[in-house]
């Protein structure tokens, strides 16, 4: 399912036009990004939880060249589905 299909489905379910649905989706994504960038979590009841963790910088060795490389700090996001979502998917 691509972005346009998600927007069409959302617009249909909310009984709004596509521009309203797109604005709602962009607002949700923007707010979620803001919380995750602050290493906070976003919990959506009945769907799941997005949690962010910060990985410190680290020095790794490139196996092909043998050179040491400094990797910058990074934020990784993990999604944990709720029990309700797991149950609906497995049915």
């Amino acid at each position: 399912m691509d972005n346009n299909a998600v927007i069409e489905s959302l617009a249909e379910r909310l009984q709004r036009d596509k521009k309203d649905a797109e604005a709602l989706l962009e607002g949700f994504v923007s707010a979620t990004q803001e919380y995750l960038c602050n290493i906070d979590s976003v919990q959506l009841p009945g769907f799941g939880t997005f949690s962010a963790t910060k990985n410190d910088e680290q020095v790794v060795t490139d196996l092909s060249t043998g050179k040491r490389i400094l990797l910058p700090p990074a934020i990784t996001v993990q999604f944990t589905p709720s029990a309700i979502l797991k149950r609906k998917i497995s049915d």
Side-chain angles (χ1 to χ4, degrees), residues 1 4-18 20-22 24-25 47 85 88:
M1 179 179 260
N4 289 332
V6 171
I7 292 170
E8 286 178 17
S9 176
L10 186 61
E12 185 178 308
R13 289 172 186 253
L14 296 176
Q15 298 177 350
R16 294 184 177 213
D17 63 4
K18 286 184 185 179
D20 286 345
E22 186 175 7
L24 288 169
L25 187 59
F47 186 70
L85 181 62
K88 286 186 178 184

Side-chain angles (χ1 to χ4, degrees), residues 6 14 21 34 43 67:
V6 171
L14 296 176
E34 184 178 323
Q43 184 177 10
K67 291 184 180 181

